[in-house]
Amino acid sequence: MQYDLHSHSTASDGTLSPTALLHRAAQQGVDALALTDHDTTDGLNEARQAAHTNGIELISGVEISVTWEGVTVHILGLGIDDSNELLQTGLSGLRDFRGWRAQEIARKLEKAGVEEAYAGARKYATGKLISRTHFARYLVECGKAKNVGDVFKKFLVRGKPGHVGGQWAGLEEVVTWIRNACGYAVIAHPARYKMSATRLRKLMQAFKDAGGSGIEVVSGSHGPNDRHNMAQYARQFDLYASTGSDFHGPENPWIELGRLDGLPSNCKPIWTLWD
Ligand code: AMP
Ligand code: MN
Ligand code: MN
Ligand code: MN
């Protein structure tokens, strides 16, 4: 079985519709895909339909934005009941924050000489949610940078002209939303936060204490070394191991669906919780 438990569609900042995403996943040999859009479950109905058509298993998911001790951390909810009211109320609050933040980002970018930044980003945001990725695509269009990664570096991170801080949801709170919706909480791409080993251990302990189930060991944004380290953390904290590409679309060919390495053999796969 080929599992990919982290992916995005046009409901958040991916570039494929849920239908096109499921079709591509099936073509790439994925047997079970989780759609985990940022702070929304809007793509799931279409994805369920497309999963059926393509003979592939869909895991209902979401990737929730959290602020933990001043750092943005992403928590996946896997196997969620997306009709859950507590979860939906929480996600709706995060999207409100995104709406406010987008206006602020646009205002700052305009001061830095980017015209029509809000309308420009909005054009790329076809779902209800707006993200920094949509601004990045517009800035590439305007010729402000050569690619999306470059826009982040030059404009959208701390200390740069289009950066806006703020608070996402709390860690304990988000784990509670996910569990209340009968899902399993997983720390997304833990190696990407660039935390010291001490801080990362503190995060894992807080997450475990809150009722978290697992961490991504294999990830599109992890190297072999990260995978090895995260497998050790998973064992140390008795957390299940997850695997996900974090696919956002075919324009990032280095993160393709269906190309993930297997989990290290000493890990407990997260899917044993529901399979
Ligand atoms: P947001 O949740 O709106 O703050 O945007 C975060 C999203 O931006 C992530 O989910 C990634 O898809 C994207 N992103 C963050 N950093 C980078 C980067 N350096 N290069 C390309 N995309 C990035
Ligand atoms: Mn994203
Ligand atoms: Mn993420
Ligand atoms: Mn993601």
Side-chain angles (χ1 to χ4, degrees):
M1 276 285 277
Q2 171 84 249
Y3 288 85
D4 188 331
L5 303 178
H6 187 160
S7 69
H8 298 272
S9 76
T10 45
S12 66
D13 61 349
T15 57
L16 298 184
S17 68
T19 301
L21 177 74
L22 269 291
H23 182 69
R24 190 180 183 94
Q27 280 192 322
Q28 292 290 127
V30 174
D31 300 298
L33 183 85
L35 175 62
T36 54
D37 275 307
H38 299 284
D39 306 325
T40 181
T41 60
D42 269 9
L44 289 176
N45 277 337
E46 185 185 323
R48 276 188 278 263
Q49 190 63 44
H52 183 73
T53 311
N54 288 283
I56 148 170
E57 183 188 345
L58 181 84
I59 289 103
S60 301
V62 64
E63 180 174 18
I64 309 181
S65 311
V66 160
T67 303
W68 178 78
E69 298 198 341
V71 181
T72 300
V73 169
H74 288 170
I75 303 295
L76 301 168
L78 298 179
I80 49 163
D81 166 10
D82 52 304
S83 70
N84 182 274
E85 212 171 300
L86 182 73
L87 173 68
Q88 289 302 344
T89 305
L91 297 180
S92 161
L94 287 171
R95 292 194 299 271
D96 289 346
F97 171 67
R98 284 182 173 279
W100 172 85
R101 184 186 67 155
Q103 308 270 10
E104 286 299 298
I105 293 176
R107 201 174 53 75
K108 289 184 133 191
L109 287 175
E110 283 175 21
K111 269 198 197 159
V114 182
E115 282 168 31
E116 303 288 342
Y118 188 77
R122 201 70 249 182
K123 202 173 55 171
Y124 287 93
T126 52
K128 276 192 251 163
L129 167 151
I130 188 155
S131 105
R132 283 185 296 164
T133 313
H134 302 121
F135 281 96
R137 290 183 189 138
Y138 175 62
L139 265 63
V140 172
E141 178 196 318
C142 297
K144 298 285 178 188
K146 62 181 187 306
N147 57 47
V148 163
D150 215 33
V151 177
F152 272 88
K153 264 188 249 158
K154 283 190 181 160
F155 292 95
L156 300 178
V157 294
R158 202 177 301 242
K160 300 298 169 174
H163 178 260
V164 175
Q167 287 273 96
W168 299 105
L171 179 68
E172 287 79 11
E173 171 184 42
V174 163
V175 174
T176 303
W177 300 348
I178 293 169
R179 290 180 56 124
N180 194 262
C182 304
Y184 301 102
V186 170
I187 302 179
H189 41 65
R192 223 168 77 184
Y193 308 124
K194 307 258 178 280
M195 289 180 190
S196 67
T198 309
R199 298 245 321 136
L200 201 49
R201 273 200 291 271
K202 192 173 175 202
L203 169 64
M204 303 240 173
Q205 191 60 59
F207 175 71
K208 175 89 186 174
D209 292 344
S213 299
I215 65 171
E216 280 189 329
V217 169
V218 173
S219 159
S221 48
H222 282 175
N225 223 17
D226 299 325
R227 183 165 67 232
H228 173 80
N229 290 339
M230 294 312 141
Q232 283 194 315
Y233 281 110
R235 261 206 323 283
Q236 194 181 338
F237 289 91
D238 193 28
L239 289 160
Y240 286 83
S242 190
T243 179
S245 60
D246 204 4
F247 180 79
H248 279 70
E251 44 291 295
N252 307 322
W254 60 94
I255 303 176
E256 181 53 272
L257 295 162
R259 296 232 194 102
L260 292 165
D261 292 311
L263 285 176
S265 57
N266 51 15
C267 289
K268 292 187 296 179
I270 187 102
W271 52 86
T272 56
L273 288 171
W274 64 77
D275 267 0

